[in-house]
Amino acid sequence: EDKVVQSPLSLVVHEGDTVTLNCSYEVTNFRSLLWYKQEKKAPTFLFMLTSSGIEKKSGRLSSILDKKELSSILNITATQTGDSAIYLCAGYNTDKLIFGTGTRLQVFP
Amino acid sequence: NAGVTQTPKFRVLKTGQSMTLLCAQDMNHEYMYWYRQDPGMGLRLIHYSVGEGTTAKGEVPDGYNVSRLKKQNFLLGLESAAPSQTSVYFCASSYSRVTGSYEQYFGPGTRLTVT
């Protein structure tokens, strides 16, 4: 059975800290790994990773995929209160996404 | 370019009532999805469609039906609502033949309460 596991479940940090969120997957016909940010509404797309070892970057956020270890990490440097959200990762199985339950990040001033 | 839209945004139903949720996308995407999100459960796939006129079951299809008569629309029906169907429902779409990209984009959600 396909599954995606995220850790930690919850993280509390102070502004300026750097955090690393983990995602491991067991997905048949794996195509790519996606990261989303969800605040109080719909998930918004962050990254899609298809190739192993190539870092994708957007501002203070970066992510990388390790196909050998079946895992991915999402790094956020110099966190801000606006980074507080649930971060979801999902593995693409042919034509649908398998989601993890998310990591809840709380950033305090 | 509105992206993915959903109607209604909120709805309260009594047990046994029926309703249809409408999802529309203007990105010419081939694939469309319906999810439900419950506290601590993450996003669970209900049904999805990989093209006009085709549908498939996801992880939690029982109690729901779907139809995709037009490429841009994906309807989710509840024939006889139950309190266990109280949830936030998200529609999503993905895959453009033009760009070849597979990112999934989500609608704003529908909060449904069944009493």
Side-chain angles (χ1 to χ4, degrees), chain A residues 31-32 34 36 38 41-43 45 48 88 92 94-97 99-101, chain B residues 31 33 35 37 40-43 45 48 50 90 94 102-104 106-108:
Chain A
R31 187 197 294 257
S32 54
L34 284 76
Y36 288 85
Q38 186 174 26
K41 39 194 189 318
F45 172 76
M48 184 164 80
L88 298 164
Y92 228 127
T94 307
D95 51 17
K96 60 184 186 292
L97 286 176
F99 278 90
T101 53
Chain B
Y31 301 170
Y33 306 83
Y35 295 91
Q37 189 172 38
M41 302 287 286
L43 283 159
L45 183 64
Y48 66 105
V50 298
F90 288 105
S94 74
Y102 284 87
E103 296 98 13
Q104 246 181 58
F106 285 80

PDB file of all heavy atoms in Angstrom, chain A residues 31-32 34 36 38 41-43 45 48 88 92 94-97 99-101, chain B residues 31 33 35 37 40-43 45 48 50 90 94 102-104 106-108:
ATOM      1  N   ARG A  31       6.493   9.023  -9.594  1.00  0.00           N
ATOM      2  CA  ARG A  31       6.844   9.924 -10.677  1.00  0.00           C
ATOM      3  C   ARG A  31       7.586  11.151 -10.130  1.00  0.00           C
ATOM      4  O   ARG A  31       8.586  11.589 -10.672  1.00  0.00           O
ATOM      5  CB  ARG A  31       5.567  10.370 -11.389  1.00  0.00           C
ATOM      6  CG  ARG A  31       5.778  11.173 -12.650  1.00  0.00           C
ATOM      7  CD  ARG A  31       4.514  11.889 -13.009  1.00  0.00           C
ATOM      8  NE  ARG A  31       3.441  10.989 -13.373  1.00  0.00           N
ATOM      9  CZ  ARG A  31       3.048  10.769 -14.629  1.00  0.00           C
ATOM     10  NH1 ARG A  31       3.656  11.346 -15.618  1.00  0.00           N
ATOM     11  NH2 ARG A  31       2.037   9.965 -14.867  1.00  0.00           N
ATOM     12  N   SER A  32       7.043  11.727  -9.031  1.00  0.00           N
ATOM     13  CA  SER A  32       7.670  12.927  -8.456  1.00  0.00           C
ATOM     14  C   SER A  32       7.131  13.157  -7.048  1.00  0.00           C
ATOM     15  O   SER A  32       6.174  12.522  -6.612  1.00  0.00           O
ATOM     16  CB  SER A  32       7.419  14.158  -9.332  1.00  0.00           C
ATOM     17  OG  SER A  32       6.042  14.323  -9.571  1.00  0.00           O
ATOM     18  N   LEU A  34       5.951  16.215  -4.305  1.00  0.00           N
ATOM     19  CA  LEU A  34       5.507  17.602  -4.256  1.00  0.00           C
ATOM     20  C   LEU A  34       5.407  18.082  -2.816  1.00  0.00           C
ATOM     21  O   LEU A  34       5.057  17.310  -1.916  1.00  0.00           O
ATOM     22  CB  LEU A  34       4.139  17.759  -4.924  1.00  0.00           C
ATOM     23  CG  LEU A  34       4.106  17.727  -6.450  1.00  0.00           C
ATOM     24  CD1 LEU A  34       4.268  16.327  -7.005  1.00  0.00           C
ATOM     25  CD2 LEU A  34       2.819  18.358  -6.974  1.00  0.00           C
ATOM     26  N   TYR A  36       3.639  21.206  -0.411  1.00  0.00           N
ATOM     27  CA  TYR A  36       2.612  22.239  -0.343  1.00  0.00           C
ATOM     28  C   TYR A  36       2.668  22.914   1.025  1.00  0.00           C
ATOM     29  O   TYR A  36       3.050  22.308   2.018  1.00  0.00           O
ATOM     30  CB  TYR A  36       1.212  21.642  -0.518  1.00  0.00           C
ATOM     31  CG  TYR A  36       0.894  21.190  -1.916  1.00  0.00           C
ATOM     32  CD1 TYR A  36       1.259  19.920  -2.372  1.00  0.00           C
ATOM     33  CD2 TYR A  36       0.204  22.029  -2.792  1.00  0.00           C
ATOM     34  CE1 TYR A  36       0.961  19.511  -3.655  1.00  0.00           C
ATOM     35  CE2 TYR A  36      -0.104  21.624  -4.079  1.00  0.00           C
ATOM     36  CZ  TYR A  36       0.280  20.362  -4.498  1.00  0.00           C
ATOM     37  OH  TYR A  36      -0.024  19.957  -5.776  1.00  0.00           O
ATOM     38  N   GLN A  38       0.041  24.851   3.685  1.00  0.00           N
ATOM     39  CA  GLN A  38      -1.379  25.090   3.943  1.00  0.00           C
ATOM     40  C   GLN A  38      -1.547  25.935   5.191  1.00  0.00           C
ATOM     41  O   GLN A  38      -1.183  25.520   6.291  1.00  0.00           O
ATOM     42  CB  GLN A  38      -2.137  23.767   4.089  1.00  0.00           C
ATOM     43  CG  GLN A  38      -3.636  23.972   4.222  1.00  0.00           C
ATOM     44  CD  GLN A  38      -4.422  22.677   4.230  1.00  0.00           C
ATOM     45  OE1 GLN A  38      -3.919  21.635   4.599  1.00  0.00           O
ATOM     46  NE2 GLN A  38      -5.682  22.759   3.817  1.00  0.00           N
ATOM     47  N   LYS A  41      -6.420  27.841   4.685  1.00  0.00           N
ATOM     48  CA  LYS A  41      -7.266  27.561   3.544  1.00  0.00           C
ATOM     49  C   LYS A  41      -6.683  26.441   2.690  1.00  0.00           C
ATOM     50  O   LYS A  41      -6.209  25.445   3.215  1.00  0.00           O
ATOM     51  CB  LYS A  41      -7.477  28.843   2.744  1.00  0.00           C
ATOM     52  CG  LYS A  41      -6.218  29.712   2.644  1.00  0.00           C
ATOM     53  CD  LYS A  41      -6.526  31.103   2.156  1.00  0.00           C
ATOM     54  CE  LYS A  41      -5.313  31.957   1.825  1.00  0.00           C
ATOM     55  NZ  LYS A  41      -4.176  31.928   2.682  1.00  0.00           N
ATOM     56  N   ALA A  42      -6.744  26.595   1.374  1.00  0.00           N
ATOM     57  CA  ALA A  42      -6.324  25.512   0.483  1.00  0.00           C
ATOM     58  C   ALA A  42      -4.802  25.390   0.445  1.00  0.00           C
ATOM     59  O   ALA A  42      -4.088  26.378   0.638  1.00  0.00           O
ATOM     60  CB  ALA A  42      -6.853  25.767  -0.926  1.00  0.00           C
ATOM     61  N   PRO A  43      -4.292  24.189   0.215  1.00  0.00           N
ATOM     62  CA  PRO A  43      -2.843  24.027   0.036  1.00  0.00           C
ATOM     63  C   PRO A  43      -2.354  24.827  -1.171  1.00  0.00           C
ATOM     64  O   PRO A  43      -3.024  24.864  -2.213  1.00  0.00           O
ATOM     65  CB  PRO A  43      -2.679  22.528  -0.219  1.00  0.00           C
ATOM     66  CG  PRO A  43      -3.916  21.901   0.318  1.00  0.00           C
ATOM     67  CD  PRO A  43      -4.998  22.903   0.122  1.00  0.00           C
ATOM     68  N   PHE A  45       0.951  25.326  -3.779  1.00  0.00           N
ATOM     69  CA  PHE A  45       2.078  24.562  -4.305  1.00  0.00           C
ATOM     70  C   PHE A  45       3.400  25.257  -4.004  1.00  0.00           C
ATOM     71  O   PHE A  45       3.529  26.470  -4.166  1.00  0.00           O
ATOM     72  CB  PHE A  45       1.875  24.418  -5.815  1.00  0.00           C
ATOM     73  CG  PHE A  45       3.033  23.822  -6.545  1.00  0.00           C
ATOM     74  CD1 PHE A  45       3.283  22.468  -6.474  1.00  0.00           C
ATOM     75  CD2 PHE A  45       3.876  24.621  -7.299  1.00  0.00           C
ATOM     76  CE1 PHE A  45       4.359  21.914  -7.151  1.00  0.00           C
ATOM     77  CE2 PHE A  45       4.952  24.082  -7.974  1.00  0.00           C
ATOM     78  CZ  PHE A  45       5.192  22.730  -7.895  1.00  0.00           C
ATOM     79  N   MET A  48       7.942  20.867  -6.932  1.00  0.00           N
ATOM     80  CA  MET A  48       7.812  19.513  -7.460  1.00  0.00           C
ATOM     81  C   MET A  48       9.212  19.019  -7.771  1.00  0.00           C
ATOM     82  O   MET A  48       9.968  19.703  -8.475  1.00  0.00           O
ATOM     83  CB  MET A  48       6.945  19.456  -8.713  1.00  0.00           C
ATOM     84  CG  MET A  48       6.749  18.029  -9.197  1.00  0.00           C
ATOM     85  SD  MET A  48       5.406  17.833 -10.373  1.00  0.00           S
ATOM     86  CE  MET A  48       6.170  18.389 -11.860  1.00  0.00           C
ATOM     87  N   LEU A  88       2.757  20.047   3.702  1.00  0.00           N
ATOM     88  CA  LEU A  88       2.351  18.732   3.224  1.00  0.00           C
ATOM     89  C   LEU A  88       3.296  18.263   2.138  1.00  0.00           C
ATOM     90  O   LEU A  88       3.683  19.051   1.267  1.00  0.00           O
ATOM     91  CB  LEU A  88       0.941  18.798   2.627  1.00  0.00           C
ATOM     92  CG  LEU A  88      -0.195  19.203   3.564  1.00  0.00           C
ATOM     93  CD1 LEU A  88      -1.430  19.590   2.767  1.00  0.00           C
ATOM     94  CD2 LEU A  88      -0.530  18.073   4.519  1.00  0.00           C
ATOM     95  N   TYR A  92       3.669  11.345  -6.197  1.00  0.00           N
ATOM     96  CA  TYR A  92       2.829  11.161  -7.377  1.00  0.00           C
ATOM     97  C   TYR A  92       2.916   9.714  -7.841  1.00  0.00           C
ATOM     98  O   TYR A  92       3.971   9.222  -8.183  1.00  0.00           O
ATOM     99  CB  TYR A  92       3.315  12.072  -8.506  1.00  0.00           C
ATOM    100  CG  TYR A  92       2.224  12.853  -9.179  1.00  0.00           C
ATOM    101  CD1 TYR A  92       2.331  14.233  -9.299  1.00  0.00           C
ATOM    102  CD2 TYR A  92       1.094  12.248  -9.714  1.00  0.00           C
ATOM    103  CE1 TYR A  92       1.343  14.979  -9.908  1.00  0.00           C
ATOM    104  CE2 TYR A  92       0.102  12.981 -10.319  1.00  0.00           C
ATOM    105  CZ  TYR A  92       0.231  14.339 -10.420  1.00  0.00           C
ATOM    106  OH  TYR A  92      -0.755  15.080 -11.023  1.00  0.00           O
ATOM    107  N   THR A  94       1.610   7.638 -10.732  1.00  0.00           N
ATOM    108  CA  THR A  94       1.046   7.639 -12.089  1.00  0.00           C
ATOM    109  C   THR A  94       0.176   8.875 -12.341  1.00  0.00           C
ATOM    110  O   THR A  94       0.560   9.769 -13.060  1.00  0.00           O
ATOM    111  CB  THR A  94       0.227   6.364 -12.370  1.00  0.00           C
ATOM    112  OG1 THR A  94       1.036   5.247 -12.070  1.00  0.00           O
ATOM    113  CG2 THR A  94      -0.174   6.315 -13.836  1.00  0.00           C
ATOM    114  N   ASP A  95      -1.027   8.898 -11.747  1.00  0.00           N
ATOM    115  CA  ASP A  95      -1.941  10.006 -12.046  1.00  0.00           C
ATOM    116  C   ASP A  95      -2.602  10.593 -10.809  1.00  0.00           C
ATOM    117  O   ASP A  95      -3.523  11.398 -10.935  1.00  0.00           O
ATOM    118  CB  ASP A  95      -3.027   9.552 -13.037  1.00  0.00           C
ATOM    119  CG  ASP A  95      -3.719   8.280 -12.583  1.00  0.00           C
ATOM    120  OD1 ASP A  95      -3.603   7.922 -11.396  1.00  0.00           O
ATOM    121  OD2 ASP A  95      -4.349   7.627 -13.421  1.00  0.00           O
ATOM    122  N   LYS A  96      -2.151  10.213  -9.610  1.00  0.00           N
ATOM    123  CA  LYS A  96      -2.726  10.794  -8.403  1.00  0.00           C
ATOM    124  C   LYS A  96      -1.659  10.959  -7.328  1.00  0.00           C
ATOM    125  O   LYS A  96      -0.615  10.335  -7.364  1.00  0.00           O
ATOM    126  CB  LYS A  96      -3.891   9.954  -7.885  1.00  0.00           C
ATOM    127  CG  LYS A  96      -3.550   8.518  -7.522  1.00  0.00           C
ATOM    128  CD  LYS A  96      -4.812   7.786  -7.132  1.00  0.00           C
ATOM    129  CE  LYS A  96      -4.532   6.390  -6.630  1.00  0.00           C
ATOM    130  NZ  LYS A  96      -4.036   5.491  -7.695  1.00  0.00           N
ATOM    131  N   LEU A  97      -1.977  11.872  -6.379  1.00  0.00           N
ATOM    132  CA  LEU A  97      -1.057  12.175  -5.291  1.00  0.00           C
ATOM    133  C   LEU A  97      -1.422  11.394  -4.037  1.00  0.00           C
ATOM    134  O   LEU A  97      -2.605  11.265  -3.703  1.00  0.00           O
ATOM    135  CB  LEU A  97      -1.083  13.666  -4.961  1.00  0.00           C
ATOM    136  CG  LEU A  97      -0.400  14.615  -5.938  1.00  0.00           C
ATOM    137  CD1 LEU A  97      -0.623  16.061  -5.503  1.00  0.00           C
ATOM    138  CD2 LEU A  97       1.080  14.328  -6.029  1.00  0.00           C
ATOM    139  N   PHE A  99      -0.817  11.790  -0.137  1.00  0.00           N
ATOM    140  CA  PHE A  99      -0.383  12.820   0.800  1.00  0.00           C
ATOM    141  C   PHE A  99       0.039  12.241   2.133  1.00  0.00           C
ATOM    142  O   PHE A  99      -0.559  11.270   2.629  1.00  0.00           O
ATOM    143  CB  PHE A  99      -1.518  13.819   1.062  1.00  0.00           C
ATOM    144  CG  PHE A  99      -1.649  14.870   0.006  1.00  0.00           C
ATOM    145  CD1 PHE A  99      -2.458  14.663  -1.099  1.00  0.00           C
ATOM    146  CD2 PHE A  99      -0.961  16.069   0.111  1.00  0.00           C
ATOM    147  CE1 PHE A  99      -2.582  15.637  -2.082  1.00  0.00           C
ATOM    148  CE2 PHE A  99      -1.078  17.039  -0.862  1.00  0.00           C
ATOM    149  CZ  PHE A  99      -1.885  16.820  -1.960  1.00  0.00           C
ATOM    150  N   GLY A 100       1.035  12.873   2.757  1.00  0.00           N
ATOM    151  CA  GLY A 100       1.327  12.657   4.154  1.00  0.00           C
ATOM    152  C   GLY A 100       0.359  13.486   4.988  1.00  0.00           C
ATOM    153  O   GLY A 100      -0.402  14.295   4.457  1.00  0.00           O
ATOM    154  N   THR A 101       0.404  13.298   6.314  1.00  0.00           N
ATOM    155  CA  THR A 101      -0.516  14.033   7.181  1.00  0.00           C
ATOM    156  C   THR A 101      -0.004  15.420   7.535  1.00  0.00           C
ATOM    157  O   THR A 101      -0.723  16.196   8.135  1.00  0.00           O
ATOM    158  CB  THR A 101      -0.821  13.254   8.467  1.00  0.00           C
ATOM    159  OG1 THR A 101       0.413  12.891   9.079  1.00  0.00           O
ATOM    160  CG2 THR A 101      -1.629  12.006   8.173  1.00  0.00           C
TER     161      THR A 101
ATOM    162  N   TYR B  31      -6.644  16.401 -15.644  1.00  0.00           N
ATOM    163  CA  TYR B  31      -7.005  15.619 -14.464  1.00  0.00           C
ATOM    164  C   TYR B  31      -7.698  16.500 -13.439  1.00  0.00           C
ATOM    165  O   TYR B  31      -7.303  17.659 -13.223  1.00  0.00           O
ATOM    166  CB  TYR B  31      -5.754  15.034 -13.785  1.00  0.00           C
ATOM    167  CG  TYR B  31      -4.891  14.113 -14.618  1.00  0.00           C
ATOM    168  CD1 TYR B  31      -3.650  13.709 -14.156  1.00  0.00           C
ATOM    169  CD2 TYR B  31      -5.307  13.640 -15.862  1.00  0.00           C
ATOM    170  CE1 TYR B  31      -2.830  12.860 -14.893  1.00  0.00           C
ATOM    171  CE2 TYR B  31      -4.497  12.800 -16.614  1.00  0.00           C
ATOM    172  CZ  TYR B  31      -3.260  12.414 -16.118  1.00  0.00           C
ATOM    173  OH  TYR B  31      -2.455  11.587 -16.857  1.00  0.00           O
ATOM    174  N   TYR B  33      -9.662  16.221  -9.295  1.00  0.00           N
ATOM    175  CA  TYR B  33      -9.679  15.410  -8.076  1.00  0.00           C
ATOM    176  C   TYR B  33     -10.638  16.011  -7.048  1.00  0.00           C
ATOM    177  O   TYR B  33     -10.791  17.231  -6.970  1.00  0.00           O
ATOM    178  CB  TYR B  33      -8.286  15.395  -7.433  1.00  0.00           C
ATOM    179  CG  TYR B  33      -7.169  14.971  -8.357  1.00  0.00           C
ATOM    180  CD1 TYR B  33      -6.586  15.895  -9.223  1.00  0.00           C
ATOM    181  CD2 TYR B  33      -6.710  13.665  -8.372  1.00  0.00           C
ATOM    182  CE1 TYR B  33      -5.565  15.509 -10.089  1.00  0.00           C
ATOM    183  CE2 TYR B  33      -5.682  13.267  -9.233  1.00  0.00           C
ATOM    184  CZ  TYR B  33      -5.121  14.193 -10.085  1.00  0.00           C
ATOM    185  OH  TYR B  33      -4.120  13.817 -10.933  1.00  0.00           O
ATOM    186  N   TYR B  35     -10.971  15.768  -2.807  1.00  0.00           N
ATOM    187  CA  TYR B  35     -10.400  15.325  -1.542  1.00  0.00           C
ATOM    188  C   TYR B  35     -11.324  15.766  -0.411  1.00  0.00           C
ATOM    189  O   TYR B  35     -12.056  16.741  -0.531  1.00  0.00           O
ATOM    190  CB  TYR B  35      -9.045  16.000  -1.284  1.00  0.00           C
ATOM    191  CG  TYR B  35      -7.936  15.653  -2.232  1.00  0.00           C
ATOM    192  CD1 TYR B  35      -7.721  16.413  -3.376  1.00  0.00           C
ATOM    193  CD2 TYR B  35      -7.073  14.602  -1.975  1.00  0.00           C
ATOM    194  CE1 TYR B  35      -6.671  16.123  -4.243  1.00  0.00           C
ATOM    195  CE2 TYR B  35      -6.024  14.298  -2.838  1.00  0.00           C
ATOM    196  CZ  TYR B  35      -5.834  15.068  -3.962  1.00  0.00           C
ATOM    197  OH  TYR B  35      -4.795  14.784  -4.808  1.00  0.00           O
ATOM    198  N   GLN B  37     -10.713  16.694   3.822  1.00  0.00           N
ATOM    199  CA  GLN B  37      -9.681  16.913   4.823  1.00  0.00           C
ATOM    200  C   GLN B  37     -10.329  16.981   6.196  1.00  0.00           C
ATOM    201  O   GLN B  37     -11.179  17.844   6.446  1.00  0.00           O
ATOM    202  CB  GLN B  37      -8.882  18.188   4.560  1.00  0.00           C
ATOM    203  CG  GLN B  37      -7.670  18.321   5.460  1.00  0.00           C
ATOM    204  CD  GLN B  37      -6.774  19.480   5.080  1.00  0.00           C
ATOM    205  OE1 GLN B  37      -7.249  20.544   4.685  1.00  0.00           O
ATOM    206  NE2 GLN B  37      -5.462  19.295   5.192  1.00  0.00           N
ATOM    207  N   GLY B  40      -6.213  15.876  11.625  1.00  0.00           N
ATOM    208  CA  GLY B  40      -5.336  14.751  11.919  1.00  0.00           C
ATOM    209  C   GLY B  40      -5.297  13.665  10.858  1.00  0.00           C
ATOM    210  O   GLY B  40      -4.563  12.685  11.001  1.00  0.00           O
ATOM    211  N   MET B  41      -6.102  13.829   9.775  1.00  0.00           N
ATOM    212  CA  MET B  41      -6.180  12.761   8.760  1.00  0.00           C
ATOM    213  C   MET B  41      -5.517  13.183   7.455  1.00  0.00           C
ATOM    214  O   MET B  41      -5.405  12.393   6.536  1.00  0.00           O
ATOM    215  CB  MET B  41      -7.637  12.400   8.477  1.00  0.00           C
ATOM    216  CG  MET B  41      -8.400  11.958   9.688  1.00  0.00           C
ATOM    217  SD  MET B  41      -7.930  10.323  10.211  1.00  0.00           S
ATOM    218  CE  MET B  41      -8.690   9.320   8.965  1.00  0.00           C
ATOM    219  N   GLY B  42      -5.134  14.412   7.337  1.00  0.00           N
ATOM    220  CA  GLY B  42      -4.550  14.853   6.082  1.00  0.00           C
ATOM    221  C   GLY B  42      -5.584  14.901   4.973  1.00  0.00           C
ATOM    222  O   GLY B  42      -6.789  14.861   5.200  1.00  0.00           O
ATOM    223  N   LEU B  43      -5.106  14.956   3.753  1.00  0.00           N
ATOM    224  CA  LEU B  43      -5.971  14.992   2.569  1.00  0.00           C
ATOM    225  C   LEU B  43      -6.195  13.565   2.077  1.00  0.00           C
ATOM    226  O   LEU B  43      -5.244  12.848   1.800  1.00  0.00           O
ATOM    227  CB  LEU B  43      -5.312  15.818   1.464  1.00  0.00           C
ATOM    228  CG  LEU B  43      -5.385  17.321   1.629  1.00  0.00           C
ATOM    229  CD1 LEU B  43      -4.301  18.003   0.818  1.00  0.00           C
ATOM    230  CD2 LEU B  43      -6.754  17.828   1.199  1.00  0.00           C
ATOM    231  N   LEU B  45      -8.129  11.190  -0.830  1.00  0.00           N
ATOM    232  CA  LEU B  45      -8.713  11.253  -2.161  1.00  0.00           C
ATOM    233  C   LEU B  45     -10.038  10.496  -2.193  1.00  0.00           C
ATOM    234  O   LEU B  45     -10.113   9.324  -1.810  1.00  0.00           O
ATOM    235  CB  LEU B  45      -7.725  10.660  -3.169  1.00  0.00           C
ATOM    236  CG  LEU B  45      -8.120  10.699  -4.633  1.00  0.00           C
ATOM    237  CD1 LEU B  45      -8.242  12.141  -5.128  1.00  0.00           C
ATOM    238  CD2 LEU B  45      -7.094   9.943  -5.481  1.00  0.00           C
ATOM    239  N   TYR B  48     -11.418  10.674  -8.593  1.00  0.00           N
ATOM    240  CA  TYR B  48     -10.682  11.526  -9.505  1.00  0.00           C
ATOM    241  C   TYR B  48     -11.035  11.183 -10.948  1.00  0.00           C
ATOM    242  O   TYR B  48     -11.724  10.199 -11.219  1.00  0.00           O
ATOM    243  CB  TYR B  48      -9.174  11.437  -9.255  1.00  0.00           C
ATOM    244  CG  TYR B  48      -8.536  10.089  -9.542  1.00  0.00           C
ATOM    245  CD1 TYR B  48      -7.761   9.900 -10.683  1.00  0.00           C
ATOM    246  CD2 TYR B  48      -8.676   9.027  -8.654  1.00  0.00           C
ATOM    247  CE1 TYR B  48      -7.156   8.685 -10.938  1.00  0.00           C
ATOM    248  CE2 TYR B  48      -8.077   7.807  -8.907  1.00  0.00           C
ATOM    249  CZ  TYR B  48      -7.312   7.636 -10.043  1.00  0.00           C
ATOM    250  OH  TYR B  48      -6.713   6.426 -10.286  1.00  0.00           O
ATOM    251  N   VAL B  50      -9.276  11.371 -15.021  1.00  0.00           N
ATOM    252  CA  VAL B  50      -8.119  11.657 -15.869  1.00  0.00           C
ATOM    253  C   VAL B  50      -8.542  12.146 -17.248  1.00  0.00           C
ATOM    254  O   VAL B  50      -7.705  12.290 -18.149  1.00  0.00           O
ATOM    255  CB  VAL B  50      -7.169  10.437 -15.981  1.00  0.00           C
ATOM    256  CG1 VAL B  50      -6.603  10.083 -14.614  1.00  0.00           C
ATOM    257  CG2 VAL B  50      -7.856   9.258 -16.624  1.00  0.00           C
ATOM    258  N   PHE B  90     -11.969  19.632  -0.825  1.00  0.00           N
ATOM    259  CA  PHE B  90     -11.139  20.377  -1.777  1.00  0.00           C
ATOM    260  C   PHE B  90     -11.188  19.703  -3.136  1.00  0.00           C
ATOM    261  O   PHE B  90     -11.088  18.479  -3.241  1.00  0.00           O
ATOM    262  CB  PHE B  90      -9.680  20.429  -1.318  1.00  0.00           C
ATOM    263  CG  PHE B  90      -9.434  21.312  -0.139  1.00  0.00           C
ATOM    264  CD1 PHE B  90      -9.213  20.775   1.116  1.00  0.00           C
ATOM    265  CD2 PHE B  90      -9.411  22.702  -0.283  1.00  0.00           C
ATOM    266  CE1 PHE B  90      -8.980  21.592   2.214  1.00  0.00           C
ATOM    267  CE2 PHE B  90      -9.184  23.520   0.805  1.00  0.00           C
ATOM    268  CZ  PHE B  90      -8.976  22.968   2.057  1.00  0.00           C
ATOM    269  N   SER B  94      -4.883  19.102 -12.387  1.00  0.00           N
ATOM    270  CA  SER B  94      -3.472  19.034 -12.781  1.00  0.00           C
ATOM    271  C   SER B  94      -3.359  18.529 -14.209  1.00  0.00           C
ATOM    272  O   SER B  94      -4.342  18.096 -14.820  1.00  0.00           O
ATOM    273  CB  SER B  94      -2.678  18.111 -11.847  1.00  0.00           C
ATOM    274  OG  SER B  94      -2.974  16.755 -12.112  1.00  0.00           O
ATOM    275  N   TYR B 102       2.739  18.590 -14.065  1.00  0.00           N
ATOM    276  CA  TYR B 102       1.814  17.793 -13.263  1.00  0.00           C
ATOM    277  C   TYR B 102       1.465  18.395 -11.913  1.00  0.00           C
ATOM    278  O   TYR B 102       0.841  17.748 -11.089  1.00  0.00           O
ATOM    279  CB  TYR B 102       2.406  16.396 -13.012  1.00  0.00           C
ATOM    280  CG  TYR B 102       2.316  15.488 -14.199  1.00  0.00           C
ATOM    281  CD1 TYR B 102       3.297  15.471 -15.167  1.00  0.00           C
ATOM    282  CD2 TYR B 102       1.227  14.636 -14.341  1.00  0.00           C
ATOM    283  CE1 TYR B 102       3.211  14.633 -16.261  1.00  0.00           C
ATOM    284  CE2 TYR B 102       1.130  13.789 -15.431  1.00  0.00           C
ATOM    285  CZ  TYR B 102       2.125  13.799 -16.391  1.00  0.00           C
ATOM    286  OH  TYR B 102       2.032  12.970 -17.465  1.00  0.00           O
ATOM    287  N   GLU B 103       1.865  19.645 -11.675  1.00  0.00           N
ATOM    288  CA  GLU B 103       1.534  20.222 -10.365  1.00  0.00           C
ATOM    289  C   GLU B 103       0.021  20.240 -10.186  1.00  0.00           C
ATOM    290  O   GLU B 103      -0.714  20.557 -11.107  1.00  0.00           O
ATOM    291  CB  GLU B 103       2.054  21.666 -10.244  1.00  0.00           C
ATOM    292  CG  GLU B 103       3.551  21.819 -10.304  1.00  0.00           C
ATOM    293  CD  GLU B 103       4.016  22.214 -11.690  1.00  0.00           C
ATOM    294  OE1 GLU B 103       3.176  22.600 -12.499  1.00  0.00           O
ATOM    295  OE2 GLU B 103       5.222  22.115 -11.940  1.00  0.00           O
ATOM    296  N   GLN B 104      -0.404  19.913  -8.967  1.00  0.00           N
ATOM    297  CA  GLN B 104      -1.826  19.964  -8.665  1.00  0.00           C
ATOM    298  C   GLN B 104      -2.153  21.292  -8.006  1.00  0.00           C
ATOM    299  O   GLN B 104      -1.459  21.708  -7.077  1.00  0.00           O
ATOM    300  CB  GLN B 104      -2.200  18.831  -7.690  1.00  0.00           C
ATOM    301  CG  GLN B 104      -3.109  17.801  -8.283  1.00  0.00           C
ATOM    302  CD  GLN B 104      -3.497  16.705  -7.332  1.00  0.00           C
ATOM    303  OE1 GLN B 104      -4.057  16.946  -6.270  1.00  0.00           O
ATOM    304  NE2 GLN B 104      -3.214  15.474  -7.740  1.00  0.00           N
ATOM    305  N   PHE B 106      -5.193  23.623  -6.125  1.00  0.00           N
ATOM    306  CA  PHE B 106      -6.380  23.397  -5.324  1.00  0.00           C
ATOM    307  C   PHE B 106      -7.364  24.560  -5.387  1.00  0.00           C
ATOM    308  O   PHE B 106      -6.971  25.730  -5.504  1.00  0.00           O
ATOM    309  CB  PHE B 106      -5.988  23.176  -3.858  1.00  0.00           C
ATOM    310  CG  PHE B 106      -5.405  21.817  -3.608  1.00  0.00           C
ATOM    311  CD1 PHE B 106      -4.085  21.551  -3.903  1.00  0.00           C
ATOM    312  CD2 PHE B 106      -6.199  20.800  -3.101  1.00  0.00           C
ATOM    313  CE1 PHE B 106      -3.539  20.293  -3.693  1.00  0.00           C
ATOM    314  CE2 PHE B 106      -5.666  19.536  -2.874  1.00  0.00           C
ATOM    315  CZ  PHE B 106      -4.341  19.285  -3.170  1.00  0.00           C
ATOM    316  N   GLY B 107      -8.643  24.216  -5.259  1.00  0.00           N
ATOM    317  CA  GLY B 107      -9.678  25.218  -5.070  1.00  0.00           C
ATOM    318  C   GLY B 107      -9.709  25.666  -3.619  1.00  0.00           C
ATOM    319  O   GLY B 107      -9.008  25.107  -2.780  1.00  0.00           O
ATOM    320  N   PRO B 108     -10.553  26.657  -3.291  1.00  0.00           N
ATOM    321  CA  PRO B 108     -10.564  27.240  -1.955  1.00  0.00           C
ATOM    322  C   PRO B 108     -11.234  26.379  -0.893  1.00  0.00           C
ATOM    323  O   PRO B 108     -11.103  26.660   0.295  1.00  0.00           O
ATOM    324  CB  PRO B 108     -11.342  28.544  -2.150  1.00  0.00           C
ATOM    325  CG  PRO B 108     -12.215  28.278  -3.318  1.00  0.00           C
ATOM    326  CD  PRO B 108     -11.450  27.361  -4.216  1.00  0.00           C
TER     327      PRO B 108
END
